[in-house]
Amino acid sequence: MTRVCIEKRDGKIVSVDCDGHTGYGAEGEDIVCAALSSIVQTAVLGLMGVAGICVKLTRDDKRGMLNVALPEKLGDAQRHDADVILETMLMGIADLYEGYSDFIELEVK
């Protein structure tokens, strides 16, 4: 099971932590794990490449772990872009969770 923990401060997403493989399918053929990874990694690419935010990123593919944290201070434009990207990511994860809750644990705190 993949545990996804999204931390919010003042209603804004400040970090995302994903840990573990979903176990839906065999390694290399797990469509749920691939979908979840794609949603989260695309958001990270958007934060860095589109919004120009220097995030703190930790990743371990073997373990199925990815942690991304935003800097504490962002300008208004970067905060807006981060909000759009991360809330869209959360919608994608929540939609995937609805269909595959036996394989994904989602916590928003």
Side-chain angles (χ1 to χ4, degrees):
M1 176 171 290
T2 301
R3 182 180 166 273
V4 180
C5 182
I6 296 174
E7 182 182 354
K8 289 188 171 189
R9 275 193 214 117
D10 300 321
K12 310 283 186 179
I13 296 173
V14 295
S15 70
V16 180
D17 185 46
C18 303
D19 195 16
H21 294 285
T22 64
Y24 179 81
E27 185 176 338
E29 298 177 9
D30 189 332
I31 61 170
V32 176
C33 199
L36 181 59
S37 294
S38 181
I39 291 167
V40 175
Q41 290 182 61
T42 298
V44 171
L45 289 171
L47 290 169
M48 295 186 308
V50 176
I53 298 170
C54 185
V55 299
K56 180 180 177 188
L57 179 65
T58 308
R59 183 174 163 175
D60 181 341
D61 292 338
K62 281 258 191 223
R63 191 172 120 198
M65 185 273 293
L66 183 144
N67 179 276
V68 61
L70 296 179
E72 291 203 23
K73 297 191 188 226
L74 292 175
D76 290 342
Q78 283 186 322
R79 184 69 254 184
H80 173 269
D81 292 348
D83 291 344
V84 170
I85 292 166
L86 293 171
E87 288 297 333
T88 302
M89 177 205 68
L90 178 54
M91 289 175 64
I93 294 171
D95 186 61
L96 191 62
Y97 171 76
E98 279 185 38
Y100 299 96
S101 60
D102 289 346
F103 305 94
I104 300 168
E105 178 184 324
L106 176 58
E107 177 184 10
V108 180
K109 59 181 185 174

